[in-house]
Amino acid sequence: MAINWARLKLLAPQDRARLVNTLLWMTACAVSDGIAGLMLLPLIVAWFSADTAQIGSALWGLLAATLVYGCLMFWATLKGYLAGCTVVRVLIGALIQHIPRIPANLLGRIQLPGLVRGPVLTAMAIPAHLLAPLIAAVVTPATVVVGLAFIDLPLAGCLLAAGVLLGLWLRWGGRKTLLLEQQLHQTERDSAAQLAEFGQQQALLRTTGLDQQAGQRLVQALNAQYRNVTHLQRRSLPITLAFAGAVQGVFLLVLLLGAWRVAKGELAPSLWIAEMVLLVRFIEPLAAMTQLDQSLRNAWQALVQVLLVLETPALQFTQPGGTPADSHLVARKIGYRLPDGSTLLSEIDLDIPPGSQLAIVGPSGAGKSTLLGVLARNTDVTEGQIVLGGVDIRQLSEPTLASWRNVLLQDTPLFQGSIRWNLQLANPALKQHELQQALSAVGLQQEIARLPRGLDSEVGVGGSALSGGQRLRLCLARSLCARTPILLLDEPTASLDSLSVSRVMALLARQRGRTSCIYVTHHPQLAAQADRIAIVVAGQLRCIGSHAQLLAEDNWYREFCAENNQQAAKD
């Protein structure tokens, strides 16, 4: 299995030094294990010669070597656990720093759920549980071979040749099974995704009568996974059995070779018996190599999953960066293309004065949310320039950008904890009356006051203890608590009842002149109260103007307002 150690460059110098130190201790432990095995030779030879003095001397030597080995094993094991903890700490810290800076279009392609409790904790096993036996499986037999070279050179040469051949066989077998394992992992992910979808969409599937069809697709995915499992077992089992047989064959051949040499008088019987006992120290680590290689390969694949996330391109921020003169936001000929070349935005010009309000409307899939994302710098434009207060937003430091704008997307989550804690995430210095003001602004003050623990009530995982409308309004209240000069909102009235929509509209109206508000909406009344309205169609700016101007000049906008007004009248 090829390991690209260059990927571990994310380790700080002191962490790399700690890992190297751990490897050295593990190597010393494996060498001492081989030396302790070699100390059996003089003891067994002395035992057959009945030389009491030699027996005592050899016994004390064996006890000393065993004691050194025990101490080194304890220290190397402790170092391995500490190195495992270091790996987890470094990986989690790197993920916390890196994931928030991954552009939104790339973040959706990454399987984040379970990343920490799965691949990260699995990667912890590499230094904690797998490196020590791996090093022992190589270094201990090598130490035995080196020691035997001074005692019985022909036997040492045979063992060296056998070790090299077994290593080549193991490497070939590992490469053969790696592709099969990757195919199995892919089918496991596919079947898990289909199983989750099948469970989550039961109501819809039953309503449409497609539950049987979906069930058949799920069965097909599970059958494919079963076939890959059995195929992997059929292909890998012969390789494993052949390796185990080869290890035992080496033992048998060396045993027969020694017996033949004893019969010819080339080798003393006592030395032959001692060498056969020592041969166990050579064979034992090799016999475990197959399972060890598979475990290490699986752990490394888990580590690679994490490293691939960390290698995903992220937004780059300058330090210390510029300082905007004000909240004047200007977009100059901005465009955005996906890595595959698809154009989502093209040639868009916007000028948003401080304290003004801009509504972004347009058909579904027109690029409205993408435009909001690039204005917030959730991702970078591929063409043009966005300037905040006279400074290109790509030249702002991360803290500066965060202090000047706040973003509320449709899927912005609440964090498990209390309502108070979720609000204070935006501004830890908020006082009680300020929290109440923010809740009152979104119409939540009385609703939360009726909860048993008020502000200290738990919101649940992702806000599951609250209704959808309450979650959205609480996120909006948190955005207000941030008190940034610019507020960017994606569908702030989605899934809200008419009363809540009125409250949000009144709230945004009160921000005029104090906070620049840029929001995507399908609600014509909310769009109408903005200073200007930008109509985006097929990734381009169709036109921009006030509500009255667009009603008079743009057919699409008139139809947009008429259709929504008719739907509102029906409701």
Side-chain angles (χ1 to χ4, degrees), residues 62-228:
L62 176 61
L63 291 175
T66 303
L67 179 61
V68 171
Y69 166 67
C71 294
L72 289 175
M73 182 177 65
F74 171 80
W75 194 247
T77 302
L78 179 60
K79 288 283 188 178
Y81 283 123
L82 294 177
C85 294
T86 298
V87 168
V88 172
R89 174 179 57 79
V90 169
L91 291 180
I92 292 178
L95 288 172
I96 291 174
Q97 291 293 319
H98 189 76
I99 288 176
R101 295 164 181 81
I102 297 178
N105 65 304
L106 298 179
L107 190 61
R109 305 178 186 180
I110 300 173
Q111 297 181 354
L112 293 180
L115 189 65
V116 172
R117 67 176 181 270
V120 170
L121 293 183
T122 300
M124 176 185 180
I126 295 177
H129 302 292
L130 298 177
L131 281 183
L134 177 66
I135 292 173
V138 176
V139 175
T140 298
T143 304
V144 170
V145 170
V146 171
L148 277 176
F150 294 96
I151 302 171
D152 190 342
L153 187 59
L155 177 60
C158 291
L159 293 182
L160 178 61
V164 171
L165 291 176
L166 289 173
L168 293 175
W169 175 267
L170 186 65
R171 183 177 179 83
W172 174 82
R175 288 180 173 178
K176 294 288 287 185
T177 57
L178 178 60
L179 180 60
L180 297 174
E181 289 175 349
Q182 290 174 341
Q183 293 174 348
L184 175 60
H185 293 158
Q186 182 60 47
T187 57
E188 287 176 345
R189 288 191 291 268
D190 292 343
S191 59
Q194 289 200 32
L195 181 60
E197 180 180 318
F198 182 76
Q200 294 170 355
Q201 302 295 334
Q202 274 299 297
L204 177 61
L205 292 173
R206 290 175 181 175
T207 300
T208 57
L210 297 176
D211 52 327
Q212 292 184 351
Q213 183 179 349
Q216 290 174 356
R217 289 199 301 269
L218 177 60
V219 170
Q220 291 173 357
L222 293 175
N223 285 336
Q225 179 181 343
Y226 171 76
R227 288 193 298 270
N228 280 337

Side-chain angles (χ1 to χ4, degrees), residues 465-486:
L466 304 176
S467 69
Q470 288 174 328
R471 286 196 297 271
L472 179 58
R473 285 185 287 152
L474 187 56
C475 287
L476 183 55
R478 184 173 61 189
S479 297
L480 294 176
C481 291
R483 297 175 179 171
T484 55
I486 301 175

Side-chain angles (χ1 to χ4, degrees), residues 402-452:
S403 67
W404 277 84
R405 65 97 174 98
N406 192 274
V407 189
L408 178 60
L409 304 177
Q410 292 187 57
D411 56 353
T412 299
L414 293 171
F415 295 93
Q416 186 173 9
S418 68
I419 294 172
R420 183 192 307 275
W421 183 73
N422 270 273
L423 292 174
Q424 289 179 333
L425 284 174
N427 188 349
L430 287 174
K431 298 179 181 179
Q432 178 76 12
H433 72 278
E434 293 173 317
L435 296 176
Q436 295 294 347
Q437 288 174 357
L439 294 174
S440 177
V442 296
L444 276 177
Q445 185 177 24
Q446 294 182 356
E447 295 178 39
I448 290 176
R450 288 193 293 266
L451 296 175

